[in-house]
Amino acid sequence: MGKDALTRLKNFRFFSAMVLFTLVWLTVRFPFQFSAAVGDVLGTENRLDPATLHLRGEFVESNLGPALESDGSFTVRMIAQQYVFVPQCVVIPAGVPVRFRITSADAAHELTVSGTDYKIKVVPGVASEARFEFERTGEYPMPCHEFCGPGHYAMRAALVVVPQDQFRALSPDERMTCESR
Ligand code: CUA
């Protein structure tokens, strides 16, 4: 083999390796980066499937309602669906910020808290989040404020705010029961 032929062979190998590398990168890496980029733009990285909310993920039934997180904060998780909020009633402690996380199983809804400016727009596919804090104990109706169909005007939940020590003494079931208060 002459020196020219050897150089050409080396160049060819180098060229082939570059092509192969590029092809592998495009096949393996690009779809990843592409979907991540699209997810960034659309904000769909953590999309929730409205059809399987009750089966897996954050909004399974056992996870709904008020919960005390490991860091001592409070979170209320709810699902909005034509024409109810689940759970229908939530009890929260007064005087501390409470994080509400809500998603929709169908149409767009809006949870509002009567007598306050608090509201959360709720749409299928994402978890909407807001922090509410109530100084005064009492009961607040939470009607839906987005026209979501013929049952819209009857769509409402109830919020009961109780003193913190009273809240801590309640069982998980009692935190979703409004009749006794
Ligand atoms: Cu839900 Cu209006």
Side-chain angles (χ1 to χ4, degrees), residues 80-85 106-110 143-149 151-153 155:
Q81 61 186 67
Q82 289 158 324
Y83 298 101
V84 287
F85 292 102
D106 40 47
H109 304 274
E110 188 175 46
C144 177
H145 200 252
E146 170 81 36
F147 184 79
C148 52
H152 162 70
Y153 296 100
M155 182 172 173

Side-chain angles (χ1 to χ4, degrees), residues 35-73:
S35 70
V38 169
D40 277 351
V41 171
L42 299 178
T44 51
E45 268 297 83
N46 300 306
R47 259 198 109 70
L48 299 166
D49 181 357
T52 59
L53 288 177
H54 58 298
L55 295 177
R56 55 176 166 269
E58 183 183 347
F59 293 91
V60 293
E61 198 179 346
S62 59
N63 229 10
L64 298 180
L68 180 57
E69 304 288 352
S70 51
D71 65 357
S73 67

Side-chain angles (χ1 to χ4, degrees), residues 14-15 25 31 36 52 60 65-66 99 126 150 178:
F14 178 72
F15 181 69
W25 189 85
T52 59
V60 293
R99 189 166 65 127
V126 286
C178 291

